[in-house]
Amino acid sequence: EDSKDQLMAEFRTMTGIEGDFTTEDLPEPVLLSLPSAEEIFAEFGENSIDVQSARNALSSARNAETTAKLSAYVPTLTASVGYSYSGAHSESWDYSTTGNGLTGSVRMSLPISGMIPTSQTDITIKERQDDVTLASLSLQGAKDTLLADIRSYVMGIDQAEKSLAIAERSRAAAARTDELAQEAFQAGLMSADDASDARTKLLNAEMSLLSARLTHLLESYNLAAAINI
């Protein structure tokens, strides 16, 4: 009973199901023909929220590194254009133009601080490079953790299916034993204690079957949640 309550609590927590949920509401077990953990990872690994988050962090770090390098190494061009005009009035107040002109200039600035070791710009660039390295390691770590989790869940599902098959056979055998025991008791061929013992074994078998069904469902849910499907 305690095992059942614990499994039900885990099931409620993970699925968010509340209220008057009963074991009869459990879906029928679906035996899964799963590919290998590596194949699941290859197809669904990028669905993982942790992997997506780590990949986004890597992309941001690379963008920051590119921005720092552009600011440190790429020259800048500055262009300017000017126009001058002058004129004057003669003694007869006739206006005449004395001069006008169009001028322009282009200036190129080449930053050199990034080329100087230990300069602030050089330090900033190295920090951004370190950020990219750390983000790459975090992404690989997220992938490694996900693959390990998938392997664990696939193994758990396989074991749960085997336990489920055993529990179903045990429950069927206990049900048949209980049926025969009740008939024997009614016919006066079996004591009440023996008949009660057969019924207790049936109830225990049903609890084991329920536990196996919950375990199988939770392991399947864990795998689906890990790859975000």
Side-chain angles (χ1 to χ4, degrees):
E1 187 68 29
D2 290 340
S3 176
K4 170 193 171 184
D5 291 341
Q6 181 180 352
L7 286 168
M8 289 300 298
E10 292 178 5
F11 178 76
R12 290 177 184 276
T13 299
M14 298 187 68
T15 61
I17 295 177
E18 298 294 345
D20 297 328
F21 174 77
T22 64
T23 56
E24 285 72 20
D25 296 321
L26 285 175
E28 287 298 320
V30 177
L31 301 185
L32 304 174
S33 298
L34 293 174
S36 68
E38 288 71 20
E39 290 173 315
I40 294 175
F41 175 82
E43 183 169 356
F44 299 105
E46 290 299 323
N47 291 355
S48 166
I49 294 176
D50 289 342
V51 171
Q52 290 178 7
S53 178
R55 188 172 294 284
N56 290 338
L58 175 58
S59 178
S60 297
R62 284 174 172 166
N63 289 338
E65 178 191 20
T66 299
T67 300
K69 287 181 177 179
L70 288 175
S71 300
Y73 301 134
V74 176
T76 58
L77 295 177
T78 303
S80 63
V81 177
Y83 178 74
S84 62
Y85 175 84
S86 63
H89 288 278
S90 66
E91 292 182 357
S92 60
W93 291 98
D94 293 329
Y95 184 80
S96 62
T97 300
T98 60
N100 62 75
L102 181 68
T103 61
S105 65
V106 176
R107 183 176 62 184
M108 183 178 70
S109 299
L110 180 63
I112 62 172
S113 60
M115 304 175 186
I116 302 175
T118 72
S119 69
Q120 184 57 51
T121 302
D122 180 61
I123 292 173
T124 298
I125 292 174
K126 290 179 178 178
E127 287 177 346
R128 299 294 82 78
Q129 291 173 335
D130 290 342
D131 291 342
V132 170
T133 299
L134 290 174
S136 297
L137 292 174
S138 295
L139 175 58
Q140 188 58 51
K143 289 182 175 181
D144 292 343
T145 298
L146 176 61
L147 179 56
D149 287 343
I150 292 174
R151 285 171 175 160
S152 176
Y153 297 143
V154 168
M155 185 180 301
I157 290 172
D158 180 66
Q159 184 59 48
E161 290 182 349
K162 292 177 180 177
S163 298
L164 183 61
I166 294 172
E168 288 174 342
R169 291 195 297 268
S170 297
R171 193 272 176 195
R176 179 56 179 163
T177 299
D178 177 67
E179 179 183 357
L180 295 175
Q182 299 310 313
E183 291 177 356
F185 174 71
Q186 293 296 330
L189 301 176
M190 179 177 286
S191 68
D193 288 343
D194 289 340
S196 177
D197 183 60
R199 179 57 53 89
T200 299
K201 290 180 179 179
L202 172 59
L203 294 175
N204 288 337
E206 289 178 341
M207 290 299 300
S208 295
L209 177 57
L210 174 59
S211 177
R213 290 180 61 187
L214 279 171
T215 298
H216 181 264
L217 185 60
L218 287 172
E219 291 290 349
S220 301
Y221 182 90
N222 285 336
L223 176 60
I227 56 180
N228 197 26
I229 61 172

